[in-house]
Amino acid sequence: DAYAKKSGETTGVIEMIDLLIKDLDKEMTEAETEEKEGQADYEAMMRDSAEKRATDSKSLTEKGGAKADMEAELQSREEGKTAATKEHMATMKYIASLHSECDWLLQYFDVRKEARAGEIDSIVK
């Protein structure tokens, strides 16, 4: 009977150790699963980040090219505006000179008309 008690206690201890081993195996399996999932998430995040960097880099390059094109067009248009402004100023100066000539002709028209009439009369006589 004494041996039966000892073997019963031993069985309880062995069952407890077996239970601890099962719990440890379960925890290790869960930890491995979490590690694999975490690693997969990390790798996915790194892929997404690399794609985003590539997209951003391409976008930056395209925008830089567009900016350079627009700056060149702006420079060209500014030069065109400067040339047009100079041409406009020259045209306005020419118009002003025409106005002054016309004003002079209108101002002295009657005097010149009388002088011509006098010249014609003196030639006729």
Side-chain angles (χ1 to χ4, degrees):
D1 204 29
Y3 294 111
K5 276 190 179 178
K6 293 236 177 197
S7 74
E9 290 176 5
T10 316
T11 311
V13 171
I14 292 175
E15 286 178 8
M16 200 185 296
I17 291 174
D18 286 342
L19 183 62
L20 287 173
I21 290 172
K22 286 179 185 176
D23 286 346
L24 186 59
D25 284 343
K26 181 181 172 187
E27 288 177 10
M28 289 182 65
T29 304
E30 288 176 358
E32 288 174 2
T33 304
E34 287 177 9
E35 177 66 25
K36 286 179 184 177
E37 289 174 355
Q39 183 66 28
D41 290 345
Y42 173 77
E43 289 173 2
M45 182 187 70
M46 294 313 288
R47 269 193 312 275
D48 292 345
S49 295
E51 288 174 8
K52 185 171 182 343
R53 277 193 305 276
T55 303
D56 290 349
S57 177
K58 182 179 177 186
S59 174
L60 184 63
T61 302
E62 289 172 354
K63 287 178 182 178
K67 180 184 176 200
D69 292 345
M70 287 180 180
E71 286 176 346
E73 185 177 342
L74 176 65
Q75 181 69 25
S76 172
R77 288 182 186 237
E78 284 177 348
E79 290 170 0
K81 180 184 177 237
T82 302
T85 301
K86 286 180 182 178
E87 183 179 343
H88 180 258
M89 288 173 60
T91 302
M92 294 305 290
K93 188 175 181 180
Y94 178 69
I95 289 172
S97 71
L98 288 178
H99 268 290
S100 66
E101 283 182 38
C102 287
D103 290 345
W104 185 85
L105 288 173
L106 287 174
Q107 182 180 0
Y108 294 105
F109 177 76
D110 292 332
V111 175
R112 292 182 68 206
K113 183 177 172 185
E114 287 176 22
R116 288 263 158 64
E119 289 175 6
I120 290 173
D121 285 342
S122 66
I123 290 176
V124 172
K125 289 182 184 178

